[in-house]
Amino acid sequence: MSRTAAVAVMAAALAACGGVGAKTGGAAGGGRGGGSGTLTTMGFGLPDEIATVRVDAFKKAHPDTTVQINQGQFDEQAFLSAVAAGDPPDVVYMPRERIGGYAARGAIQPLDTCVSTQKIPTGDYYPAAQQQVRYAGKWYGIPEFYNSIILLVNDKAAKDAGVDPASIDTSDWDGLARLATKMTKSSGGKIERFGFYPKLPEFLPLWAKANGADLLSPDGRTAHLDDPKVVEALEYVSGLVQAQGGWTRLKAFTDTFDYFGAENPFAKDQIGAMLTEQFLVSSMAGTNPGAGITVLPFKDRHGDPVNNVGGNAWVVPKGAGNPDAACAWMKTMTSADTWIAAAKARADKRAEEGKVNIGTYTGNMKADEVIFSQVVKPSGHRPYDQAVTTIRSVQRAGFVVPQSGAAAEFTKAWQDAGARVLLGRQKAGPALKQAQQEAQRALDDVNH
């Protein structure tokens, strides 16, 4: 079933049962104790101690609830089909940027009753994370991790180019372009080291923000994709890629990377510098404690840090059979005390293994304050100790693309535009003009 078909089936089913406001399934979090019975999840697994410690905390606090974890990544088609069939899981773990679209279509329930009944301290969450889980003035998700974007530099590549890694400044676009070319190495038409990987099209919102533009209005109704500053940003970043060998060569090169293994592209001197989420640095701390890297903030053209944050959230589908337990689950999994316990378990495990620990970066400010003042200690590995300082410094600079009822369609419009430009099929101006029309049409269809 295609996404469009699945959405259509889901919408028909929801219309038949009265939508979000219907009483056939109740408001999420109707009970104070967290309920009992069985709680089923989707999109979540138990890959490490960060997950298991928090699940164990819920089981201990709610012994009358049987937890059934359906391990695996979030699957949109399976989710929409389950909702349309009236047999969804009780709580779903999904990317936060998708929440607006599902909320607009009635696939997930507002959580205001849950928040008030369970007394979830929403003020503990980072402002950007709060913004990303709210739609039309209501809570639709509870945020989990808080992924920040940083600049990760390969010290060897920078030094080969005659530059002190710590002096690299992304606010100087001309200087950055020169450095990217200097750090690039090719042989026989093949890339051996890509100088600067700007992560296009995924990070277009970040580059646009650095150039003083937002892709979407604060109310999520008006696209700004053809803003001259967005066009300029796309032209610049696609130009960086072209000057270093082009998108086709870059894609073929990066497809060989094992980002999270010991033979990652920084260990193999395959990347000079790249924009990435901080969890790559955390992974490298475990696999490459002696890595020669420098972690810097990404800066806008005025020299100020800018950080397009993301992460997952917990949501309650329409028709969930045990919304009370789902609400209690969300509160426990994202509470400061639970996060701190998980972070301590991570620190203990890394210490036992002799690995560097740079901490657990949560959506909960209160938790992070304790984690980084009491749990995370200097490792003696200067690059990683400095990385912690940098990551913490950019968390407050976080922003998100506002939620909209056409979140998926809006994202697809600008990502497709970026891909067409990278492939040389369109110039930035015409590509974004087309994207603007596609995105605005989708937004209008939802809002009228």
Side-chain angles (χ1 to χ4, degrees):
M1 181 185 294
S2 70
R3 181 183 187 281
T4 301
V7 170
V9 171
M10 177 196 71
L14 294 178
C17 68
V20 172
K23 296 182 179 179
T24 57
R32 291 184 181 278
S36 56
T38 299
L39 174 76
T40 58
T41 74
M42 174 185 275
F44 180 70
L46 298 170
D48 57 25
E49 65 282 358
I50 300 296
T52 56
V53 165
R54 293 182 298 136
V55 171
D56 288 346
F58 175 81
K59 290 178 177 178
K60 183 177 180 180
H62 302 278
D64 295 333
T65 301
T66 300
V67 178
Q68 180 180 320
I69 295 176
N70 299 312
Q71 299 207 52
Q73 297 293 318
F74 174 71
D75 183 318
E76 179 181 62
Q77 184 168 314
F79 168 66
L80 295 178
S81 296
V83 173
D87 187 28
D90 298 304
V91 65
V92 178
Y93 192 57
M94 66 167 59
R96 293 199 287 263
E97 66 268 16
R98 303 188 188 188
I99 285 176
Y102 295 134
R105 292 175 172 90
I108 57 178
Q109 301 186 47
L111 302 177
D112 297 73
T113 301
C114 165
V115 168
S116 61
T117 302
Q118 283 283 342
K119 296 181 173 59
I120 296 177
T122 55
D124 288 354
Y125 304 127
Y126 287 96
Q130 293 185 44
Q131 182 184 354
Q132 206 169 26
V133 297
R134 291 174 63 85
Y135 174 73
K138 296 181 179 180
W139 293 93
Y140 277 92
I142 304 298
E144 267 235 340
F145 292 100
Y146 192 79
N147 299 328
S148 295
I149 296 174
I150 47 81
L151 179 67
L152 179 56
V153 180
N154 172 1
D155 290 353
K156 180 181 184 302
K159 291 174 182 177
D160 285 350
V163 172
D164 176 0
S167 71
I168 296 175
D169 183 358
T170 56
S171 70
D172 178 4
W173 283 15
D174 290 339
L176 185 60
R178 290 191 296 270
L179 177 62
T181 302
K182 286 181 180 179
M183 290 195 295
T184 299
K185 290 171 60 178
S186 299
S187 177
K190 291 185 177 181
I191 298 172
E192 294 182 344
R193 182 209 286 153
F194 199 79
F196 176 63
Y197 189 12
K199 291 296 287 288
L200 201 67
E202 307 99 301
F203 288 178
L204 180 59
L206 181 72
W207 285 101
K209 190 76 166 181
N211 203 33
D214 292 301
L215 301 190
L216 186 63
S217 63
D219 63 5
R221 290 174 173 266
T222 306
H224 295 158
L225 300 181
D226 57 354
D227 183 312
K229 291 183 178 180
V230 180
V231 175
E232 182 183 22
L234 181 53
E235 286 177 339
Y236 171 77
V237 184
S238 60
L240 285 180
V241 173
Q242 187 60 37
Q244 297 174 83
W247 174 248
T248 302
R249 290 179 181 176
L250 170 62
K251 189 68 166 59
F253 187 52
T254 59
D255 281 349
T256 68
F257 291 174
D258 177 12
Y259 283 105
F260 300 102
E263 295 296 303
N264 61 70
F266 287 86
K268 297 180 71 173
D269 191 27
Q270 294 173 312
I271 287 285
M274 71 180 288
L275 293 174
T276 184
E277 293 88 349
Q278 93 278 331
F279 52 72
L280 177 56
V281 184
S282 181
S283 173
M284 289 181 62
T287 59
N288 302 89
I293 57 171
T294 299
V295 175
L296 301 171
F298 179 72
K299 296 179 180 179
D300 65 20
R301 300 189 76 174
H302 297 291
D304 298 319
V306 60
N307 175 20
N308 185 194
V309 300
N312 278 17
W314 294 103
V315 304
V316 178
K318 177 64 183 178
N322 200 348
D324 291 351
C327 183
W329 169 273
M330 294 187 291
K331 179 181 181 179
T332 300
M333 293 293 284
T334 65
S335 74
D337 289 346
T338 313
W339 274 124
I340 293 165
K344 287 179 178 176
R346 165 59 58 83
D348 290 344
K349 183 178 180 182
R350 286 280 173 103
E352 290 172 5
E353 297 172 341
K355 296 179 179 179
V356 177
N357 174 46
I358 70 164
T360 302
Y361 298 85
T362 81
N364 190 310
M365 292 185 292
K366 184 177 178 181
D368 281 6
E369 287 169 4
V370 174
I371 291 169
F372 292 98
S373 65
Q374 300 179 23
V375 178
V376 177
K377 304 297 183 183
S379 67
H381 295 266
R382 186 178 179 187
Y384 291 108
D385 292 341
Q386 290 181 336
V388 172
T389 301
T390 296
I391 295 165
R392 287 286 287 157
S393 74
V394 303
Q395 286 182 308
R396 297 278 185 166
F399 79 94
V400 296
V401 175
Q403 283 292 355
S404 77
E409 295 84 355
F410 179 78
T411 300
K412 184 177 187 300
W414 61 257
Q415 288 195 346
D416 285 354
R420 292 193 299 272
V421 174
L422 286 168
L423 290 168
R425 295 173 182 170
Q426 276 184 304
K427 297 293 186 182
L432 288 171
K433 182 178 181 180
Q434 177 183 330
Q436 172 71 18
Q437 294 170 346
E438 295 168 349
Q440 194 59 54
R441 188 180 307 117
L443 293 168
D444 291 343
D445 286 346
V446 169
N447 293 320
H448 293 93

